[in-house]
Amino acid sequence: MDCHHYDAFRCRSCTLLELPRARQLSDKELHARSLVDAPVWLPTVAGPEAGFRNKAKMAVGGSVEVPTLGILDRDLRGVDLRDCGLHSAGLTSALDRIAAWIAAAGLTPYDVATRTGELKHVLLTESPDGELMLRLVVRSTALEARIRSRLPALLEAVPALRVVTINVQPEHKAVLEGEREVVLTGKATLPMRLSTGVTLRLGPRSFFQTNTPVAEALYEQARAWVDGLPGVRAVWDLYCGVGGFALHLASPGREVLGVEVSADAVAAATATAAELDVAAEFVAADATAYALASRASPDLVVVNPPRRGIGTDLAGWLEGSATRHVVYSSCNAESLARDLAAMPSLRPVEARVLDMFPHTGHYEVLVLLER
């Protein structure tokens, strides 16, 4: 992928951009293999090398008249990256119109150096159907009335918008979003209609993989593994989010339980399960605390933790449980390796690298464990 921002040293986030894609993929697989001792490695899922991101996380800089959407340089000045080659065409087109609307509405960009201004970030997500969810991260509610009054103009300029919110992040620190979310549109969730046959409901604060084609491959692989195992009647999906793994694994004769700390994500997953008419239940709780408090052991557990991994407590519970299989989805093979060392009775039988984050050193690895 060619990038004029990279060549001009305006943005160097794609640290592997100068490496051929084949070399990127082989290096990631070698790294994963060095950490995970699986007897079978399925072919790496590559996905597209450009235009794959379904989410744009843009810092707002510049001036009211000429706002920038992108990153801040070392001098805390805005660098405009609206035409980033990683973004889908729908995101790129919408970002141009949103920037023009910001200028017309007179929304003052937040100046990190002087701690003045209001608009901090523009977070934009696109569904496979081309619908959009926009979150405007602001320092306070000072702009709320102005944004509301100019919302019709925004919806006219970007007709694909389904959800628009204001997120309030008052603190002066490197935190992307705050706790308060104000929904401005009648719809509060974005349907993510996947090629797998499942449509997830994505709320403003819900997690979903940034690479939709590779996420679909991730869910398909987990479903293929679980459907191929005998006697899997009870499944837990820990760190379930909006139910990505749980809803793909739900099937006749199988009961699925998803555990997720976000009540909004649990509500969205519950609504999707009802729409699909599948036996999937969702609980708002901490994944580790829920497992440690439970006396039951399901036949199979799915874990999809953040980069830190599942940790010693949950790994210890899995090691001592009667669960026969675990599907572990990891975005950090090093924390995965630490977790595997803490549950030696559960051994990898198959694994697969999925290039969720092309042109960077990051990737997803999915592992099937068997007791």
Side-chain angles (χ1 to χ4, degrees), residues 259-307:
V259 181
E260 164 61 42
V261 71
S262 167
D264 289 342
V266 165
T270 300
T272 305
E275 182 180 81
L276 295 173
D277 193 23
V278 294
E281 179 185 354
F282 296 90
V283 175
D286 174 79
T288 299
Y290 184 89
L292 293 179
S294 177
R295 298 180 180 179
S297 293
D299 302 311
L300 182 141
V301 173
V302 179
V303 289
N304 182 27
R307 288 189 59 78

Side-chain angles (χ1 to χ4, degrees), residues 155-237:
L155 298 176
E156 182 179 356
V158 191
L161 280 171
R162 176 186 174 96
V163 182
V164 180
T165 74
I166 294 172
N167 178 273
V168 183
Q169 205 293 79
E171 299 183 76
H172 181 77
K173 60 182 182 180
V175 176
L176 190 65
E177 59 189 43
E179 293 297 321
R180 185 182 178 194
E181 198 88 26
V182 181
V183 179
L184 305 179
T185 47
K187 302 290 186 180
T189 58
L190 181 69
M192 301 292 287
R193 194 182 317 277
L194 306 181
S195 65
T196 56
V198 174
T199 299
L200 301 174
R201 287 175 167 84
L202 205 61
R205 300 171 62 83
S206 300
F207 168 78
F208 184 75
Q209 301 283 5
T210 59
N211 190 326
T212 302
V214 177
E216 290 169 339
L218 182 74
Y219 295 138
E220 286 280 25
Q221 182 60 68
R223 181 157 60 185
W225 277 343
V226 176
D227 286 351
L229 296 173
V232 178
R233 298 287 180 263
V235 173
W236 286 4
D237 178 9

Side-chain angles (χ1 to χ4, degrees), residues 44-206:
T44 295
V45 175
E49 70 168 354
F52 58 83
R53 279 191 67 98
N54 58 36
K55 187 170 187 177
K57 300 179 180 180
M58 314 299 274
V60 182
S63 63
V64 178
E65 297 79 15
V66 187
T68 62
L69 303 182
I71 59 174
L72 302 180
D73 65 16
R74 291 181 179 179
D75 297 320
L76 303 178
R77 293 175 301 196
V79 178
D80 199 275
L81 300 175
R82 279 177 276 166
D83 61 344
C84 172
L86 303 183
H87 293 155
S88 69
L91 290 181
T92 301
S93 174
L95 286 171
D96 280 339
R97 299 175 188 180
I98 291 167
W101 173 80
I102 289 171
L107 307 184
T108 311
Y110 181 70
D111 188 308
V112 176
T114 63
R115 303 193 182 190
T116 59
E118 285 290 329
L119 184 58
K120 291 184 170 184
H121 293 94
V122 165
L123 309 179
L124 186 65
T125 304
E126 184 181 31
S127 77
D129 292 335
E131 293 184 314
L132 298 167
M133 174 165 60
L134 172 65
R135 301 173 68 204
L136 301 168
V137 182
V138 295
R139 184 173 65 161
S140 71
T141 57
L143 291 177
E144 182 176 346
R146 182 178 298 183
I147 291 172
R148 285 186 181 275
S149 69
R150 287 160 174 79
L151 183 61
L154 174 62
L155 298 176
E156 182 179 356
V158 191
L161 280 171
R162 176 186 174 96
V163 182
V164 180
T165 74
I166 294 172
N167 178 273
V168 183
Q169 205 293 79
E171 299 183 76
H172 181 77
K173 60 182 182 180
V175 176
L176 190 65
E177 59 189 43
E179 293 297 321
R180 185 182 178 194
E181 198 88 26
V182 181
V183 179
L184 305 179
T185 47
K187 302 290 186 180
T189 58
L190 181 69
M192 301 292 287
R193 194 182 317 277
L194 306 181
S195 65
T196 56
V198 174
T199 299
L200 301 174
R201 287 175 167 84
L202 205 61
R205 300 171 62 83
S206 300

